[in-house]
Amino acid sequence: MSTTPQAPAPGTPPDAKAALGWMHTARFLTTAAQLHQLPAITVPEIAFVGRSNAGKSTCINTLTQQRQLAFASKKPGRTQHINLFALGKQGVTDAVLADLPGYGYAAVSRSDKQRWQQVMANYLVSRQGLSGIVLLCDPRLGLTELDEALLEVVRPRVEQGLKFLVLLTKADKLTRAEQAKALSIVRLQAGGGEVRMFSALKKQGVEDVAQLLWQWAHPPLADAPDADAAPDLQQKQ
């Protein structure tokens, strides 16, 4: 008779297989063009942000092992909605991923850029339940001015305990020596956040990041909210 593995205690990292299984439960929750259109979330929310060509959609799809969960537009920068994905098994949502619009693409009009920069800044500063931020960056370019501006926006919340990870994507395009150099440089710029290498093509960092995000979403009981999980939010849409 087979038995179901017992879930690890909150704050205890699961093995890689369990963490990836949790990520695979991701399903579309809702999309919003404005902050006020987003539903109130009572579980940890983890936001993915980055330049339009940083590989954000590919990263989310790779982590969740779903080929088309996050929409990758053929015209970078044209997807201008915040998309939420629920995580959790058996009709229970225990975390939410937020896919924020990519920024910095030249083909988007100046007014659209300014509007979305403001929406994102407001989200990052005021979104209740935001527990962590994953900033995706192409290590061949390093942190750009827009990335550094985003770091300044979130710095006060990071200092107050908001989790923060800089994910250097497309690591397969660098040699080991180049990866080590990029990690060293970005760690100096990350303002206390963690920095990891990631390659969707080579699956580098996938298990490591899945385990880290699980820990973010399942803090030790002393730090967790009163309710460990909420009823499946998708059922209420």
Side-chain angles (χ1 to χ4, degrees):
M1 182 175 65
S2 64
T3 58
T4 301
Q6 188 173 15
T12 303
D15 59 34
K17 184 177 180 180
L20 287 170
W22 174 71
M23 293 294 300
H24 188 55
T25 67
R27 62 264 183 199
F28 177 76
L29 177 60
T30 191
T31 186
Q34 299 290 340
L35 292 184
H36 67 83
Q37 297 171 342
L38 290 173
I41 300 296
T42 59
V43 296
E45 187 166 304
I46 299 169
F48 282 70
V49 298
R51 288 179 60 86
S52 297
N53 57 355
K56 182 164 51 66
S57 297
T58 300
C59 175
I60 293 173
N61 290 338
T62 300
L63 285 169
T64 61
Q65 307 118 74
Q66 299 185 44
R67 299 182 67 178
Q68 295 182 322
L69 181 70
F71 177 70
S73 173
K74 292 182 179 179
K75 296 182 178 180
R78 301 309 294 268
T79 305
Q80 298 188 354
H81 287 71
I82 297 173
N83 296 309
L84 300 186
F85 307 103
L87 288 167
K89 296 182 179 179
Q90 300 175 344
V92 172
T93 294
D94 59 8
V96 167
L97 300 181
D99 181 12
L100 273 62
Y103 53 83
Y105 191 66
V108 178
S109 70
R110 181 181 179 87
S111 61
D112 281 346
K113 285 182 185 179
Q114 292 175 335
R115 178 173 63 85
W116 266 108
Q117 286 171 11
Q118 190 60 53
V119 169
M120 289 177 60
N122 290 341
Y123 170 92
L124 295 169
V125 168
S126 64
R127 179 66 169 163
Q128 295 297 316
L130 183 62
S131 299
I133 297 172
V134 180
L135 170 62
L136 290 96
C137 171
D138 186 332
R140 297 169 298 175
L141 302 176
L143 294 179
T144 65
E145 285 188 25
L146 287 173
D147 295 325
E148 292 177 352
L150 183 144
L151 283 173
E152 286 302 311
V153 168
V154 304
R155 192 179 305 278
R157 294 193 74 172
V158 173
E159 291 173 350
Q160 294 168 7
L162 182 73
K163 304 295 185 183
F164 184 66
L165 169 67
V166 179
L167 209 54
L168 301 178
T169 60
K170 308 178 185 180
D172 52 279
K173 298 185 181 296
L174 302 180
T175 65
R176 288 185 179 273
E178 290 170 337
Q179 289 186 27
K181 181 179 179 180
L183 281 169
S184 296
I185 293 173
V186 176
R187 278 173 179 153
L188 294 174
Q189 302 171 303
E194 299 189 56
V195 184
R196 306 282 176 91
M197 279 287 172
F198 188 91
S199 168
L201 181 64
K202 300 292 186 181
K203 301 298 185 286
Q204 179 181 350
V206 174
E207 294 182 350
D208 190 29
V209 173
Q211 289 176 294
L212 180 63
L213 297 186
W214 190 95
Q215 287 180 270
W216 285 8
H218 302 83
L221 290 175
D223 301 327
D226 292 338
D228 292 331
D232 194 334
L233 298 168
Q234 197 168 22
Q235 303 299 321
K236 297 182 178 181
Q237 298 304 310

